[in-house]
Amino acid sequence: MKIAVLSGKGGTGKTTVATCLATVIPGCQYVDCDVEEPNGHIFMSPQLDRSETVQVLVPKVDESLCTRCGQCAKICQFNAIAVTDKTVLLFPELCHHCGACGLVCPTGAIQEVEKPIGVIESDSSGRFQQGLLNIGEPVGIPIIEAMKQKISPNRMAILDCSPGAACAVVRTIEGCDFALLVTEPTPFGLHDLKVAVSLVRKMGIRAGVVINKSGAGDQMIESYCQSESLEILMKIPFLREIAEHYARGMLPIHFNPEWVGRFKALYWRIGQEVMH
């Protein structure tokens, strides 16, 4: 089973929930798909002894063969190529690596070359993976795809998504069995929860909700979940104790054994939702 943990906004406690779940489930794989700012390692303290470069294919033009016909620029949907009377301008940061420019070039002037965009770091046990996008690179989806290919089909996996509901999140949750939506009881939290719910519904993925920083504002989240027939699977109270330990890189399961049982119960409830 693959469980994606996501939220419509950052700072809701998504990584707290994802790392707690991954820690209490024996043999579980944790995959940090927030390639722009992975932070699961802070709480899980893995021994990252493996690193693999992720590369994408970008066009390279042989000026001696190029006739400046402009077919490559016309086919590119992302404006990554511009053709002038004297040269061809390439913008690799805009390239989406589809290869269409090379296919339509009538003279074979365009070849694809590899370009590194980041790395995948992991431990030797295969329990922990994180992607790191190189500074200045705009798209981390190829790193996410490479990490998902490394997930063992015979082991449980927790995929920690990036914030929001953009392309990186879509690609992360694609093929997952369940989406765990982490929110907070504020107007902003409710607004972005609605965005996340809309996304998982369109993708046909079963979902449940965790309310983090639970307290006085829970009613607005509860009312919405009831109207959408969404189960609230867990509440994490808004406590100073949790915040203080979090600031030291400690999860609730590290300082209070009761939370180990609660997260195991959360895993069991997710399993029940998937089975039904």
Side-chain angles (χ1 to χ4, degrees):
M1 182 166 63
K2 293 193 289 289
I3 300 172
V5 183
L6 64 151
S7 61
K9 63 184 288 292
T12 59
K14 171 177 54 62
T15 295
T16 299
V17 172
T19 51
C20 281
L21 264 179
T23 301
V24 302
I25 301 171
C28 180
Q29 303 167 93
Y30 171 84
V31 185
D32 196 337
C33 295
D34 186 0
V35 298
E36 294 184 32
E37 196 172 7
N39 62 345
H41 65 278
I42 296 173
F43 307 102
M44 298 186 72
S45 302
Q47 189 70 35
L48 297 175
D49 48 15
R50 297 183 179 182
S51 180
E52 176 185 324
T53 300
V54 178
Q55 304 194 84
V56 295
L57 294 175
V58 296
K60 182 180 179 181
V61 178
D62 184 340
E63 294 281 357
S64 66
L65 297 176
C66 181
T67 62
R68 319 288 187 272
C69 69
Q71 292 301 312
C72 55
K74 289 178 182 178
I75 197 67
C76 183
Q77 300 296 301
F78 305 100
N79 300 312
I81 302 180
V83 179
T84 70
D85 292 338
K86 296 182 178 180
T87 189
V88 177
L89 301 174
L90 301 176
F91 304 95
E93 294 79 10
L94 299 178
C95 180
H96 281 55
H97 330 298
C98 67
C101 55
L103 292 175
V104 300
C105 180
T107 63
I110 297 179
Q111 301 295 322
E112 290 184 303
V113 296
E114 291 185 331
K115 176 192 175 189
I117 62 166
V119 298
I120 297 172
E121 296 180 335
S122 60
D123 62 2
S124 56
S125 70
R127 285 207 63 187
F128 187 99
Q129 278 193 79
Q130 69 175 17
L132 288 167
L133 184 67
N134 289 345
I135 294 173
E137 291 294 336
V139 179
I141 290 175
I143 300 177
I144 295 170
E145 291 175 337
M147 286 194 293
K148 290 183 71 175
Q149 289 175 5
K150 294 178 179 295
I151 295 175
S152 170
N154 300 318
R155 294 172 66 180
M156 175 73 193
I158 301 291
L159 285 74
D160 191 351
C161 299
S162 56
C167 297
V169 176
V170 173
R171 196 58 58 91
T172 301
I173 69 176
E174 199 171 40
C176 286
D177 301 290
F178 193 84
L180 193 58
L181 312 178
V182 183
T183 189
E184 56 188 18
T186 64
F188 287 114
L190 177 59
H191 174 273
D192 293 318
L193 174 62
K194 291 178 180 179
V195 173
V197 170
S198 176
L199 174 62
V200 297
R201 290 266 168 88
K202 286 181 180 179
M203 296 183 69
I205 301 173
R206 293 175 180 267
V209 175
V210 171
I211 302 179
N212 190 31
K213 305 173 188 174
S214 172
D218 284 5
Q219 180 58 41
M220 71 176 79
I221 304 295
E222 292 170 345
S223 296
Y224 170 72
C225 289
Q226 185 175 8
S227 68
E228 292 292 325
S229 301
L230 278 169
E231 288 285 336
I232 297 176
L233 303 177
M234 174 185 271
K235 292 183 178 183
I236 302 174
F238 194 15
L239 296 177
R240 183 184 182 91
E241 178 187 42
I242 293 177
E244 286 181 346
H245 283 85
Y246 181 87
R248 301 188 189 106
M250 296 179 66
L251 299 168
I253 58 173
H254 291 151
F255 65 86
N256 188 339
E258 289 185 11
W259 282 104
V260 175
R262 292 178 187 179
F263 274 96
K264 286 183 177 179
L266 173 61
Y267 172 52
W268 182 85
R269 291 192 66 183
I270 291 172
Q272 293 295 107
E273 290 286 327
V274 172
M275 292 293 290
H276 289 109

